[in-house]
Amino acid sequence: MSIRHIEADSGIETMDKLNLQNPLFATYVIAASLMILKAVSMSWLTVARMIQVKGGFRAPEDLRKTPFNPDPKPEQLAPDDRVERIRRIQQNDLESLPFFLAAGFLFVLTDPSLLLARVLLYGYVVSRLLHFAAYLTARNHETRATFWSVGSLILVFMTCWTLVAALGH
């Protein structure tokens, strides 16, 4: 068998792994999709909260009269804690989720056991959802930090696993 044939087989083998019939890749796709939907929903939640409290706007043009803001007032540009809380949750997502999307994808390429992948990938999702719930309900820093730490340690583990696998080839 030639080197070219071996390289072609390796590429085909990798591509075969990247489909939804592969339970390992499907696990990643489910976890990643849930995290993307969660992150995107924060924008919608921010807008809903701004409409609900009629404030927390950021730009001067937001004070124009519209069907959603029929009686604009300058104080609507003042920060509103209920709106800012959602923005902080979204900011935390924007700081964390890209690492998960990359680390999770690279991790599944190392072909770990399905059980390990499910525990780690779904564990990350659960930790982020619990972090969201704790932040939304104004739990103390230690509670939020505990849920954040679980997700962070999962990322560190998956990244180190991937690095060891890559260095071993």
Side-chain angles (χ1 to χ4, degrees):
M1 182 177 286
S2 71
I3 292 175
R4 183 178 211 166
H5 185 69
I6 292 170
E7 287 174 358
D9 286 346
S10 297
I12 291 170
E13 183 180 315
T14 299
M15 291 307 291
D16 286 344
K17 291 179 184 181
L18 300 180
N19 67 61
L20 295 177
Q21 278 61 52
N22 177 354
L24 188 57
F25 186 66
T27 298
Y28 167 74
V29 169
I30 291 166
S33 296
L34 289 171
M35 289 293 85
I36 291 167
L37 287 171
K38 189 254 183 231
V40 168
S41 70
M42 292 300 95
S43 296
W44 289 98
L45 188 55
T46 301
V47 170
R49 187 63 58 92
M50 288 167 57
I51 291 170
Q52 177 188 32
V53 302
K54 296 179 177 56
F57 303 140
R58 285 193 165 166
E61 60 270 16
D62 296 340
L63 296 182
R64 294 180 186 146
K65 187 173 183 174
T66 68
F68 288 115
N69 192 14
D71 188 25
K73 297 176 178 75
E75 55 269 15
Q76 289 176 316
L77 289 178
D80 180 274
D81 185 57
R82 295 161 293 183
V83 175
E84 293 306 312
R85 178 168 300 282
I86 304 300
R87 286 186 175 130
R88 289 191 300 269
I89 294 169
Q90 184 174 35
Q91 182 63 40
N92 190 275
D93 282 346
L94 294 174
E95 294 167 356
S96 301
L97 294 183
F99 294 115
F100 169 72
L101 296 174
F105 181 75
L106 297 173
F107 175 71
V108 300
L109 292 179
T110 69
D111 205 24
S113 75
L114 182 57
L115 177 61
L116 179 63
R118 285 182 173 165
V119 166
L120 294 174
L121 295 169
Y122 294 151
Y124 183 85
V125 170
V126 169
S127 75
R128 293 303 301 171
L129 293 175
L130 289 172
H131 179 269
F132 163 74
Y135 218 138
L136 187 66
T137 58
R139 299 293 179 239
N140 64 26
H141 180 264
E142 288 77 13
T143 302
R144 293 190 324 267
T146 298
F147 296 132
W148 178 88
S149 294
V150 169
S152 182
L153 290 171
I154 288 171
L155 288 179
V156 169
F157 180 87
M158 288 191 307
T159 303
C160 289
W161 175 287
T162 302
L163 182 59
V164 167
L167 292 172
H169 278 91

